[in-house]
């Protein structure tokens, strides 16, 4: 009996993805997938909680990490120019890409110059954001994912479901089936060591023979022009050291000011992402060294809507994200649906606020509603992104887009909210509205002191519940009378 549950690759392009409720409804029927996700997130969350608890200065670390990221964003242009200058001085080449199309074109031009027909890749969400793999395939260039989870998904014609653990929705029996079919190993067992050995043997030939690699970046260090990459398997180290040409594609928000900032950022990242004190492999790459490592090093700095996000006060904090996925592991919505329902490489709470903004609020408009606003994501975020606050702001933008300026003045709900805003903005107007409301509602109040039926929009409320009549005296009126009486007694 087959255990392979992936019938087709999910749509991971927010421009054509179905709304979140539609995608989630389908996924909710897959009990095995939900079981896999719940188990994986429980394990990661427990490890994270244990290691956070041992750090007595965890709150101070979070505050420092948030301050470093906020400061870098506040002076982003300065630090990007500093990074560019120092990277070039070390022998690297820096490219600037306004959007995904320009980033793809830059990378393809480099690969054509290298006459590359295949590349090895370190796990990079930025390349998924710009839809790089399909572009490479269309150009006749094979992209080989070297991260174990990404390899599983690539061979299984699947898409990532998690930022840090992309294949957490797949169990080891399903991995065995994928490897057995795609690697020609019918006798392969589902023992984790056997599966890892099969992947290692498959990839080792690629590491030793493919001369071009593509990576992302966890951090770009302005002070030294360095790229910092953390990973758990060593595949990243192989991709960074063995190829002749290395191309790094990174969002412009990844820059941090100083090398010393890594002291804080690596501590909060490892604990939040994988429940480890330190990532097993932390690689720092600065330019080119003759006779050692890649002899051609390119960094593609991607904007793709980030400058617009940076310009907005509430949404700016989205760019502080260090892609640890702690918000996914604690989110009750993600726990039930996994990442595919989000229709984007960026899943979970951070995806719900990042993807719509990267799409200029033209696509993925259902994602800001993919949250209960419980605040759990905010509590665990190592850089203190107030995700619920951004979600509320994006919901307001969605509503404003749905109501054009020409039609909103004919919308009773919109007019009602405008009237309420006018009344609540002034204490005197609020008291006047109370008095008028008390007089007007007397016509609908029954002898029992309850309002059972109201006209117009009010009928939507009284169709399913009763409304208590306004009291004869408000609290403010009572307080004024009571306070005056007390003062009189005091005199």
């Amino acid at each position: 009996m087959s255990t392979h549950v992936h019938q087709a690759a999910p749509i991971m392009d927010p421009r054509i993805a179905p709304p979140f409720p539609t995608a989630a409804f389908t996924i909710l029927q897959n009990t095995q997938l939900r079981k896999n996700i719940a188990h994986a997130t429980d394990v990661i969350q427990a490890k994270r909680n244990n290691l956070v608890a041992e750090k007595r200065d965890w709150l101070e670390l979070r505050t420092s990490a948030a301050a470093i990221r906020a400061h870098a964003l506040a002076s982003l242009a300065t630090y990007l120019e500093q990074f560019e200058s120092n990277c070039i001085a070390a022998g690297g080449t820096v490219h600037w890409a306004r959007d995904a199309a320009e980033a793809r074109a830059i990378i393809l031009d480099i690969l054509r110059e290298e006459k590359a027909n295949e590349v090895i890749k370190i796990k990079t969400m930025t390349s998924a954001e710009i839809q790089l793999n399909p572009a490479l395939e269309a150009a006749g260039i094979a992209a080989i994912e070297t991260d174990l989870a990404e390899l599983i998904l690539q061979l299984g014609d699947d898409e990532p479901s998690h930022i840090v653990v992309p294949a957490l929705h797949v169990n080891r029996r399903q991995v065995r089936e994928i490897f057995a079919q795609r690697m020609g190993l019918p006798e392969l067992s589902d023992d984790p060591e056997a599966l890892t050995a099969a992947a290692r043997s498959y990839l080792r030939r690629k590491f030793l023979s493919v001369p071009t690699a593509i990576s992302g970046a966890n951090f770009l260090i302005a002070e030294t022009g360095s790229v910092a990459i953390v990973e758990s398997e060593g595949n990243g180290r192989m991709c960074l050291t063995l190829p002749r040409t290395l191309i790094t594609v990174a969002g412009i928000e990844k820059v941090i000011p100083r090398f010393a900032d890594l002291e804080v950022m690596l501590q909060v990242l490892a604990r939040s992402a994988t429940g480890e004190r330190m990532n097993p492999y932390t690689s720092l790459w600065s330019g080119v060294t003759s006779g050692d490592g890649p002899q051609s090093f390119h960094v593609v700095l991607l904007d793709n809507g980030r400058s617009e996000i940076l310009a907005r006060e509430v949404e700016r904090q989205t760019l502080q994200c260090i892609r640890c996925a702690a918000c996914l592991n604690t989110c009750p919505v993600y726990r039930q649906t996994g990442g595919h329902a989000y229709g984007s490489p960026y899943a979970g709470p951070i995806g719900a606020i990042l993807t719509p903004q990267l799409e200029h609020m033209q696509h993925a408009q259902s994602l800001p509603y993919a949250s209960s606003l419980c605040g759990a994501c905010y509590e665990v975020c190592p850089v203190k992104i107030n995700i619920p606050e951004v979600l509320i702001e994006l919901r307001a933008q969605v509503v404003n887009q749905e109501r054009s300026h020409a039609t909103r003045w004919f919308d009773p709900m919109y007019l009602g909210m405008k009237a309420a805003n006018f009344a609540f903005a002034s204490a005197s107007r609020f008291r006047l509205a109370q008095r008028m409301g008390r007089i007007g509602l007397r016509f609908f109040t029954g002898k029992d002191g309850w309002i059972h039926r109201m006209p117009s929009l009010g009928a939507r409320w009284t169709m399913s519940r009763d409304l208590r009549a306004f009291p004869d005296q408000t609290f403010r009126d009572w307080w004024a009378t009571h306070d005056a009486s007390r003062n009189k007694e005091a005199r």
Side-chain angles (χ1 to χ4, degrees):
M1 178 174 155
S2 174
T3 58
H4 190 200
V5 298
H6 312 293
Q7 298 177 355
I11 298 171
M12 299 300 279
D13 185 344
R15 293 167 295 179
I16 57 176
F20 180 85
T22 303
F25 181 80
T26 302
I27 292 171
L28 289 173
Q29 315 308 310
N30 190 330
T31 55
Q32 182 61 60
L33 182 144
R34 293 173 64 191
K35 181 179 178 181
N36 295 346
I37 292 170
H39 172 72
T41 53
D42 283 346
V43 170
I44 298 171
Q45 185 77 342
K47 291 173 62 179
R48 178 257 178 206
N49 292 344
N50 288 336
L51 289 186
V52 165
E54 75 177 15
K55 289 292 293 180
R56 295 182 181 179
D57 62 345
W58 177 249
L59 294 180
E60 289 80 3
L61 274 173
R62 285 184 70 206
T63 300
S64 296
I68 290 169
R69 297 296 295 124
H71 170 71
L73 293 175
S75 303
L76 188 59
T78 299
Y79 289 123
L80 285 173
E81 291 175 359
Q82 185 181 357
F83 170 82
E84 178 187 37
S85 175
N86 289 327
C87 181
I88 292 173
T93 303
V94 177
H95 310 263
W96 299 82
R98 287 170 294 185
D99 53 29
E102 194 164 85
R104 292 193 299 266
I106 291 169
I107 294 170
L108 286 172
D109 284 345
I110 297 171
L111 295 178
R112 291 189 185 102
E113 289 181 8
E114 296 291 327
K115 297 180 171 55
N117 56 19
E118 59 181 352
V119 297
I120 50 177
K121 289 183 64 196
I122 308 173
K123 174 180 171 292
T124 159
M125 299 192 68
T126 312
S127 75
E129 176 189 330
I130 65 173
Q131 297 286 300
L132 180 59
N133 281 14
L136 295 177
E137 183 180 357
I141 302 171
I144 298 100
E145 299 289 351
T146 65
D147 176 85
L148 177 58
E150 292 283 356
L151 176 65
I152 292 167
L153 299 177
Q154 186 176 50
L155 295 180
D157 296 321
D158 202 352
E159 295 280 0
S161 183
H162 192 274
I163 291 176
V164 174
V165 194
L168 91 169
H169 60 289
V170 184
N171 61 36
R172 68 183 189 181
R173 291 183 296 278
Q174 294 164 337
V175 174
R176 189 217 74 83
E177 182 179 340
I178 293 169
F179 282 8
Q181 291 177 355
R182 298 299 296 271
M183 295 182 183
L185 302 172
E187 303 303 319
L188 183 66
S189 76
D190 64 1
D191 178 72
E193 291 188 8
L195 296 174
T196 304
R200 182 182 296 115
S201 177
Y202 176 85
L203 290 173
R204 187 57 57 92
R205 294 188 296 272
K206 299 297 183 181
F207 286 136
L208 295 175
S209 62
V210 178
T212 308
I214 295 175
S215 83
N218 290 97
F219 303 104
L220 305 172
I221 306 167
E223 182 181 46
T224 59
S226 305
V227 174
I229 295 175
V230 300
E231 34 109 11
S232 300
E233 301 167 14
N235 65 296
R237 185 69 57 82
M238 302 284 271
C239 289
L240 288 170
T241 54
L242 294 178
R244 181 182 66 244
T245 300
L246 174 62
I247 305 170
T248 293
V249 55
I252 56 175
E253 81 281 11
K254 293 297 184 71
V255 70
I256 57 175
R258 304 174 304 152
F259 184 84
D261 294 331
L262 288 175
E263 177 187 1
V264 173
M265 304 312 300
L266 293 180
Q267 288 192 73
V268 296
L269 176 58
R271 284 175 167 79
S272 299
T274 54
E276 298 171 293
R277 294 181 180 88
M278 185 60 69
N279 290 96
Y281 293 89
T282 299
S283 301
L284 293 167
W285 201 259
S286 303
V288 172
T289 301
S290 179
D292 184 13
Q295 298 303 291
S296 178
F297 176 51
H298 300 263
V299 178
V300 180
L301 296 175
L302 176 69
D303 189 318
N304 202 33
R306 287 162 172 81
S307 292
E308 295 180 27
I309 300 174
L310 186 68
R312 297 191 289 268
E313 183 178 356
V314 174
E315 297 96 306
R316 181 187 306 146
Q317 58 188 306
T318 307
L319 298 179
Q320 293 182 196
C321 178
I322 58 174
R323 307 291 191 269
C324 69
C327 60
L328 280 72
N329 300 329
T330 194
C331 177
V333 176
Y334 175 87
R335 179 185 178 89
Q336 297 301 322
T337 66
H340 293 158
Y342 294 82
S344 164
Y346 303 109
I350 189 61
I353 64 173
L354 179 59
T355 300
Q357 295 183 77
L358 292 178
E359 293 296 321
H360 310 287
M361 298 302 295
Q362 296 176 6
H363 308 284
Q365 292 187 338
S366 63
L367 291 187
Y369 296 92
S371 170
S372 65
L373 299 179
C374 67
C377 49
Y378 183 29
E379 293 298 322
V380 300
C381 179
V383 289
K384 294 187 174 182
I385 302 172
N386 192 338
I387 293 178
E389 179 183 42
V390 182
L391 285 169
I392 292 171
E393 172 62 27
L394 295 181
R395 291 182 184 186
Q397 293 180 26
V398 170
V399 171
N400 286 336
Q401 286 184 358
E402 290 175 347
R403 292 185 177 135
S404 68
H405 183 74
T407 61
R408 66 178 58 178
W409 293 107
F410 299 96
D411 186 339
M413 183 66 72
Y414 177 79
L415 294 175
M417 294 304 293
K418 291 291 288 186
N421 181 65
F422 177 77
F424 292 164
S426 165
S428 60
R429 290 199 294 266
F430 179 68
R431 287 194 292 269
L432 177 61
Q434 285 181 315
R435 288 195 293 270
M436 294 177 63
R438 188 181 301 111
I439 294 171
L441 289 176
R442 285 176 181 171
F443 295 101
F444 306 100
T445 304
K447 294 181 179 180
D448 58 357
W450 286 83
I451 300 171
H452 302 286
R453 184 178 298 174
M454 290 181 63
S456 186
L457 290 175
R460 298 183 183 180
W461 178 276
T462 53
M463 281 175 59
S464 57
R465 58 185 68 81
D466 294 335
L467 178 67
R468 185 179 290 278
F470 273 27
D472 293 331
Q473 187 181 42
T474 67
F475 174 78
R476 288 179 178 274
D477 293 337
W478 174 87
W479 179 260
T481 303
H482 179 76
D483 193 45
S485 175
R486 186 174 55 184
N487 290 337
K488 183 177 180 180
E489 291 177 2
R491 289 196 297 268

